[in-house]
Amino acid sequence: MCLFCKIVNKEIPSNVILENDEFVAFHDVNPKAPVHILAIPKVHVDSFNEVSPLLMQNMTSFIQDVAKEVKIDKSGYRVITNIGKDGGQEVKHLHFHILGGAKLKWEHFSDSDTQGHF
Ligand code: 5GP
Ligand code: ZN
């Protein structure tokens, strides 16, 4: 069973913010912003590559609810999902990073040059 499936099953403790039948949101153990939450589906999905548009429909509402719950919806925030090797995905269970609580820098591309492949 993967790490986040264990969090869903409460085999590994997490600091839960919001939960319903389909999704759970909890604080990232290594926050990269004042607010850094992970929102995941309870069902195991490897990454965004495999997720169904139907699941994304409710996932979208859930992410919006999380932002409201922690009161960053008005000040603004960033939603990120890393996919695969180049995306830097370390946990192979679909998760959305919800980052906020401060003006965020835009520096995610600093370790790659901008000479595109296309
Ligand atoms: P990724 O790099 O796969 O997009 O993000 C994985 C995230 O999961 C990282 O930000 C990391 O800090 C977080 N993480 C890894 N293990 C745990 C854990 O056991 N508990 C919590 N709450 N977060 C974790
Ligand atoms: Zn899983």
Side-chain angles (χ1 to χ4, degrees):
M1 192 185 288
C2 93
L3 179 69
F4 285 176
C5 281
K6 286 180 182 162
I7 284 182
V8 169
N9 289 340
K10 316 284 187 204
E11 286 175 38
I12 293 176
S14 70
N15 198 342
V16 172
I17 292 147
L18 204 62
E19 183 170 7
N20 63 24
D21 286 349
E22 279 188 294
F23 308 104
V24 59
F26 52 91
H27 288 284
D28 194 294
V29 79
N30 180 24
K32 293 172 179 67
V35 175
H36 187 171
I37 297 162
L38 301 172
I40 69 172
K42 289 189 170 178
V43 64
H44 181 93
V45 177
D46 283 347
S47 82
F48 188 75
N49 273 341
E50 290 80 19
V51 73
S52 73
L54 202 60
L55 189 119
M56 280 309 298
Q57 198 174 319
N58 290 344
M59 182 96 243
T60 300
S61 298
F62 185 71
I63 291 169
Q64 291 167 347
D65 290 346
V66 171
K68 285 195 194 100
E69 178 71 26
V70 296
K71 297 183 169 51
I72 56 170
D73 55 316
K74 299 285 196 305
S75 51
Y77 59 101
R78 189 171 292 161
V79 178
I80 296 173
T81 186
N82 295 325
I83 303 147
K85 182 167 65 68
D86 282 0
Q89 183 182 4
E90 284 174 8
V91 180
K92 308 300 190 261
H93 180 129
L94 175 66
H95 53 281
F96 290 85
H97 298 260
I98 302 168
L99 299 141
K103 175 88 178 148
L104 302 170
K105 291 181 185 165
W106 184 247
E107 58 182 13
H108 300 285
F109 311 112
S110 57
D111 55 355
S112 62
D113 68 43
T114 54
Q115 299 304 308
H117 296 285
F118 305 106

